[in-house]
Amino acid sequence: QRVASYWQGSGTLAAVADRPGALQCGQPDFPDAAAHCRSFLLDTPWSAAFISWVMRQAGITDFPVSASHIPYVAAAHARPDAGPYRTADPYQSRLRPGDLVCYLRGREQNLGHAGLMLALAQGSTAGWTSHCDLVVASNPGGNRTAYAIGGNVLNTVTLRLLPLDARGALLPATAADAPCSPGRPAACSFNRQDWSVLLQLRAQPPQAVALPRPTP
């Protein structure tokens, strides 16, 4: 029900109406609607619908809601002087509450920020898959950690802790070329992604909230 509310409340359900079960999520009186809707929810990535829902809840009315992440990354790139977000390199720019930090998925090699910006300029990102998390706190108490929340991470809404450098930018991952194994736990971090763009919020960032201390 919660995931269905993200689709419905974000206004993104119509964009995936061709997927089996999507229409039933918006029509509870349809025969066997719950079963069809449940199938849609299990089979359809919903991380972008979650971000779009958050933006509507936050009252950012000019955010280009989308059922996938690349369209609003492309919108920020296409309008560098307008819109709620602007693009930046997450390894060169400070992360702030309200920003979105995004990585590319399903690629054999990392593109990085420069590679993604080039692809956007060439208009060659159609069909690309990606993921964005919302930064809710950054470097509280000087702990060099960003706290970012994303939907559909391990099938839930998940808080991710990202290490920062002294500037407050993302800290490059270590052991990038090492395969994941029990003897190389650093190579198995779920944070090791192709973080390619930081969408910086133009408006006043939301007030930082106190976060619980993570358990080991």
Side-chain angles (χ1 to χ4, degrees):
Q1 291 176 341
R2 181 64 60 86
V3 175
S5 73
Y6 297 148
W7 284 107
Q8 295 162 351
S10 65
T12 56
L13 191 58
V16 290
D18 59 332
R19 297 185 68 95
L23 291 179
Q24 286 81 353
C25 282
Q27 300 177 6
D29 295 332
F30 195 90
D32 297 324
H36 288 288
C37 179
R38 187 179 301 110
S39 177
F40 162 76
L41 297 174
L42 291 174
D43 294 340
T44 307
W46 50 272
S47 59
F50 171 76
I51 292 294
S52 295
W53 176 83
V54 169
M55 294 300 159
R56 284 204 165 182
Q57 294 295 308
I60 304 180
T61 56
D62 53 347
F63 182 81
V65 298
S66 173
S68 58
H69 299 278
I70 282 292
Y72 48 77
V73 175
H77 176 267
R79 303 176 61 198
D81 299 319
Y85 283 96
R86 57 175 173 261
T87 60
D89 187 337
Y91 294 100
Q92 299 297 327
S93 302
R94 180 169 61 92
L95 277 65
R96 305 171 304 169
D99 290 350
L100 294 172
V101 59
C102 311
Y103 65 82
L104 299 176
R105 298 189 294 112
R107 307 189 64 82
E108 293 183 0
Q109 294 182 332
N110 289 356
L111 282 184
H113 181 70
L116 175 57
M117 293 300 102
L118 177 61
L120 287 169
Q122 295 173 339
S124 59
T125 59
W128 285 21
T129 56
S130 58
H131 176 86
C132 295
D133 282 357
L134 175 70
V135 179
V136 296
S138 184
N139 198 32
N143 68 352
R144 293 195 180 184
T145 301
Y147 298 78
I149 291 178
N152 201 26
V153 179
L154 303 177
N155 298 317
T156 189
V157 175
T158 299
L159 177 67
R160 189 194 306 265
L161 277 61
L162 295 168
L164 303 175
D165 63 18
R167 301 168 299 174
L170 280 186
L171 188 68
T174 58
D177 298 325
C180 173
S181 69
R184 297 179 181 271
C188 303
S189 171
F190 201 62
N191 290 340
R192 279 186 55 197
Q193 306 289 352
D194 185 10
W195 298 103
S196 300
V197 65
L198 176 68
L199 298 184
Q200 294 180 317
L201 183 65
R202 296 180 185 276
Q204 180 67 31
Q207 193 71 25
V209 297
L211 296 173
R213 186 179 301 276
T215 56

